Amino acid sequence: MKFTLPIAIALTLVSSAGWTQAVNDYPTNARAEYVFTCMATNGENRDLLDRCSCAIDQIASVLPYDDYVSAETVLRMRQTTGERASMFKGMPQMTETVAKLRRAEAEAEILCF
């Protein structure tokens, strides 16, 4: 089947957009949890609902969900005490995991707030 150039470009864009969304598709409950936490931290009004929703959408567009979960896990484990917490605080791999999330959050803050 032979496509004209504009149709071929359109098909490429549609298939690329669908693939990107599938890779970065965060579950609804993860997005909702982020928005609830964001609003609890910054204020509970309609404007912040929009801004916090924008932020998680932006984070999802640059950070795969598995990386997001890993970073959140590291951050939560760092809040605990004892030997387990020290492992999550000192390892360079754990620090890089959190740094990726922090970069995504910084970008989201610039774009959404």
Side-chain angles (χ1 to χ4, degrees), residues 84 103 109:
R84 289 182 183 167
R103 285 190 292 272
E109 187 170 336

Side-chain angles (χ1 to χ4, degrees), residues 14-27 30-31 56-69:
V14 169
S15 65
S16 294
W19 181 80
T20 301
Q21 182 62 29
V23 171
N24 295 317
D25 193 26
Y26 285 38
R31 289 177 185 265
I56 191 60
D57 290 344
Q58 181 59 38
I59 291 167
S61 74
V62 297
L63 190 68
Y65 182 65
D66 288 343
D67 291 351
Y68 176 80
V69 170

Side-chain angles (χ1 to χ4, degrees), residues 4-67:
T4 62
L5 186 58
I7 293 173
I9 291 171
L11 289 173
T12 302
L13 292 174
V14 169
S15 65
S16 294
W19 181 80
T20 301
Q21 182 62 29
V23 171
N24 295 317
D25 193 26
Y26 285 38
T28 302
N29 63 342
R31 289 177 185 265
E33 181 180 2
Y34 182 92
V35 171
F36 287 144
T37 303
C38 175
M39 289 179 68
T41 303
N42 296 300
E44 296 177 1
N45 59 52
R46 176 65 189 178
D47 181 52
L48 279 166
L49 173 64
D50 293 338
R51 291 176 187 269
C52 294
S53 297
C54 171
I56 191 60
D57 290 344
Q58 181 59 38
I59 291 167
S61 74
V62 297
L63 190 68
Y65 182 65
D66 288 343
D67 291 351

